Structure formats: structure tokens, C-alpha cells
Amino acid sequence: MEPADNPSDSSKLHVSTLLIASERALTNALDELGFAEDDDRVIQHEGRLAFLTCSHDPDCDDLFALISELAARGETWELQFRVDTGEGRAVFQRLARHQPVEAVDAELPPEMEEADKELPVHDLDQERGRASLKKALNRVDPAGVFATIRSGPGDRATAVILRRSPRRALAMAAATDEASLRAALREILPSVMFSVAMKPPG
């Protein structure tokens, strides 16, 4: 009999998870549990507030604490997952009350126009990269931009900083993981909101 495959030998996939609720419900739960007001894991998602965690984070304890708090308050919430399965592809999964579990394997939508792909990538693990990004965004109104985040080559996290209207990519950045990427971006743009593609296109 062949020995079972060692789980550590299999390739781990990057997973993003969103806990989504109304702004009132999630804000109350965050306040009750003592989360910081500027916690960079709190993002806007389709008109609601969401709490983001991913496989770069060391554990899911904060996510479970928020689920417990929302459940105790009788609030409505849902979970969305995105599993990055390959270059430009992901499995999107959704779990919500009174609805069946959904999962779709799909191509990721493009984050930017072809003309914007020439933008340099600022390495936020380096002081030089943080300084160059700060200079590139020096005259940007933080209220008029947002940052999309996804995993990149070699498990690094990447972000595209986009102007809302008219929509245009302004800069690209990368860091070791999503947590350090979000923290570095918040140092430069304290009020920037983050976005993660959590649904298949169409």
C-alpha cells in the first residue's frame, strides 16, 4: 500500500476571505470587540462593510470573533472566498444564510487598462520603494482613490492604486504579504480604502 501524500508536499493556494455585513452591524461588532478605527482589514465592498483576511495572515481568530459577535446580535452576514488557482484564474465561493453554497471557477477581471500596464511597481518592502510611491502619489486626493489587492508572483502581494473618476491606474505596489502591503499603503494614504475582486465577472 502506498503511503498517503504528505499534506505539506502539496501546493498551497492563496485564499482571500471576506466577512460582509451592513456598515452599522459590522461597525458595532468591531467597536464592541475593541478593533482599531483604522484597522486596514476593514474595507468597503459593494455598498457594505467587510472584514478581510487571507492566507498571508497568521490566523483567523479575529474573523471568528466577529462572526460570533454578529451572530450573538442576530445580524445578517455572509462569507465570500476567492481561491487563486493560477495566473489570472480563481475559484469564487459564497456562503450566506437562506441561500445555497455557490462556487464558480472563473478568469479574474483585469485590474487596469492595457495602457496602464507600463506603470513601475514600487517595492514597499524597501524604503526606496515607499519613498518613490509617496512621491508618485504626492498630489493625489486620498478620497478620490482606492487600491485593489491580489496575490502576485512568488506569493508576494500586489496592489493597483486607482483614481475613482475617471477610473485610471495611478501606481502599482508590491510587498511580502497583504498585511504589510496594506500597512505601507495606509502610511502614505491614511484614508485609502481597499478592494478585492471577490466575484467572477459577468
Side-chain angles (χ1 to χ4, degrees):
M1 178 181 269
E2 292 291 328
D5 290 338
N6 187 337
S8 63
D9 292 338
S10 61
S11 292
K12 290 187 177 179
L13 299 174
H14 180 265
V15 183
S16 298
T17 304
L18 281 188
L19 170 63
I20 305 167
S22 70
E23 185 168 353
R24 174 197 54 77
L26 192 54
T27 298
N28 288 341
L30 290 163
D31 289 345
E32 180 65 27
L33 294 172
F35 282 79
E37 283 187 26
D38 60 350
D39 193 309
D40 57 37
R41 295 169 295 177
V42 179
I43 69 172
Q44 289 178 341
H45 184 73
E46 298 179 347
R48 292 184 290 173
L49 216 56
F51 182 83
L52 170 68
T53 189
C54 75
S55 47
H56 283 132
D57 296 322
D59 59 53
C60 296
D61 290 357
D62 288 344
L63 178 72
F64 289 124
L66 283 167
I67 290 172
S68 296
E69 183 64 25
L70 289 167
R73 291 168 174 265
E75 300 286 3
T76 299
W77 49 272
E78 71 178 66
L79 288 170
Q80 290 185 14
F81 306 90
R82 191 188 82 197
V83 183
D84 297 320
T85 55
E87 186 64 36
R89 289 198 71 82
V91 171
F92 298 88
Q93 187 173 8
R94 182 169 174 266
L95 177 66
R97 290 185 66 195
H98 309 304
Q99 296 182 32
V101 175
E102 297 175 356
V104 177
D105 183 1
E107 187 174 350
L108 288 170
E111 288 179 338
M112 63 181 77
E113 302 295 331
E114 284 297 323
D116 296 322
K117 291 185 177 179
E118 301 300 319
L119 289 170
V121 179
H122 303 272
D123 185 352
L124 302 189
D125 292 331
Q126 308 293 328
E127 181 58 40
R128 182 177 175 182
R130 291 192 292 271
S132 64
L133 180 61
K134 188 172 184 178
K135 183 177 180 181
L137 299 175
N138 187 38
R139 298 187 179 199
V140 170
D141 176 9
V145 300
F146 67 100
T148 65
I149 295 184
R150 70 167 51 163
S151 60
D155 255 359
R156 285 171 62 79
T158 61
V160 181
I161 298 92
L162 299 114
R163 186 169 61 193
R164 291 184 186 275
S165 183
R167 185 177 171 118
R168 184 172 73 85
L170 302 174
M172 293 183 66
T176 302
D177 55 45
E178 291 187 21
S180 56
L181 179 63
R182 293 191 308 262
L185 286 173
R186 275 278 170 90
E187 284 183 16
I188 298 167
L189 298 169
S191 60
V192 69
M193 290 302 290
F194 300 107
S195 172
V196 181
M198 295 298 290
K199 286 188 175 181

